[in-house]
Amino acid sequence: MHSTDPTAHPSAPYDHSAGPHELRVCGEVDGRPALFRLCPKFADSVDPGPLLGVAVRVDTYFRIPLAFTATFKQAAGERWELVRVLCSQDDYLASVRAVRPKIVEAAAKVLREQRARLEPLFTVVRERRAAYALAEVYRTRTAAADAHRRVDAAEDAFGLFDICEERAAEVLGQLSGRPGLLSHCGPPVVRSTSYGRVLVLCPVGHLVQSVKAEDWHGSQLAARCADPAFTVTCHGQTGGPLPH
């Protein structure tokens, strides 16, 4: 089998405005000419993810023109596992049923043979997915900044009434049908910030402890906060350190 791709593989940074890149290979399926088009992709909704895959489009002729798409996902080592095989023609056709197993075998063979030539395309698809992920980062940062502005505006509006937070919280409890002071002791509320901190708050929302995000995951404090029986207590508007 030999490549028919008219475009050289990207050795320099690829211009993604030119559209997706694919590798074209001429070959055979059961002695009949076939064109294989290999397009790297990432599988969605995979945990952990994203998972690298390749969609192999196979155009051949078996009594009638046939077009199949065999999708593979990356497995351990250099292996590829078949995910699914779809045909653009009716699956009830005898030609489709007869050639389907041969399509899978031929597509897997081409994928193994062309692994080295696919590497530049894997870089291209990684760059594309990284760009989409960065767009989500930008959207999240914007939402976080908007949230901080709303918090500041709400606190400024509350400050105009010259009423302490404890008294306002008491009134809030009365208005909501929960008489008495809102408790400063209870299960912690954990919040992440856009500036790389994880905040542990009391039920009222007062800060009890602030931790760097990189120190939070897997820490003893994170495990304790995940325990439904764990409680925190603060005094007034300033939280005390968590008990050891």
Side-chain angles (χ1 to χ4, degrees):
M1 298 183 182
H2 59 280
S3 170
T4 62
D5 192 348
T7 305
H9 296 301
S11 55
Y14 177 66
D15 181 6
H16 289 271
S17 64
H21 210 286
E22 65 180 22
L23 174 65
R24 298 185 181 184
V25 178
C26 282
E28 294 182 350
V29 175
D30 197 28
R32 294 172 174 82
L35 174 64
F36 298 81
R37 287 182 287 175
L38 288 73
C39 183
K41 57 185 296 184
F42 278 100
D44 295 320
S45 303
V46 176
D47 186 23
L51 186 65
L52 185 63
V54 177
V56 184
R57 170 70 182 263
V58 185
D59 295 293
T60 187
Y61 188 92
F62 190 86
R63 299 187 188 131
I64 60 172
L66 296 174
F68 289 84
T69 300
T71 303
F72 297 82
K73 67 178 181 179
Q74 190 176 41
E78 299 292 321
R79 295 188 305 107
W80 295 95
E81 292 182 359
L82 180 68
V83 176
R84 61 182 175 272
V85 183
L86 302 177
C87 183
S88 59
Q89 287 81 5
D90 196 325
D91 283 346
Y92 290 101
L93 292 174
S95 297
V96 173
R97 296 197 305 270
V99 79
R100 182 187 295 273
K102 302 181 188 337
I103 289 290
V104 173
E105 181 181 354
K109 183 174 183 293
V110 171
L111 187 54
R112 290 193 302 269
E113 292 175 346
Q114 302 296 326
R115 175 64 192 236
R117 303 190 69 229
L118 283 169
E119 286 298 335
L121 275 68
F122 292 152
T123 300
V124 169
V125 76
R126 287 190 191 97
E127 290 179 347
R128 188 174 297 247
R129 284 300 294 267
Y132 295 148
L134 182 60
E136 180 62 25
V137 170
Y138 288 160
R139 285 191 292 269
T140 304
R141 287 175 178 171
T142 300
D146 291 341
H148 280 296
R149 283 194 291 270
R150 289 195 298 271
V151 169
D152 292 341
E155 290 177 345
D156 290 343
F158 171 72
L160 295 175
F161 297 98
D162 196 25
I163 300 295
C164 69
E165 185 170 337
E166 284 74 13
R167 176 55 185 163
E170 181 180 1
V171 174
L172 180 62
Q174 295 170 355
L175 294 174
S176 61
R178 292 176 285 127
L181 286 169
L182 294 178
S183 176
H184 293 256
C185 177
V189 178
V190 179
R191 294 284 184 266
S192 297
T193 72
S194 62
Y195 48 87
R197 307 287 298 186
V198 175
L199 308 181
V200 180
L201 311 173
C202 79
V204 176
H206 294 160
L207 179 65
V208 174
Q209 197 147 332
S210 175
V211 183
K212 290 183 179 179
E214 58 266 25
D215 297 333
W216 173 260
H217 297 289
S219 68
Q220 182 181 7
L221 178 57
R224 295 172 71 188
C225 288
D227 183 356
F230 180 66
T231 61
V232 296
T233 303
C234 77
H235 308 283
Q237 296 187 13
T238 304
L242 289 176
H244 294 287

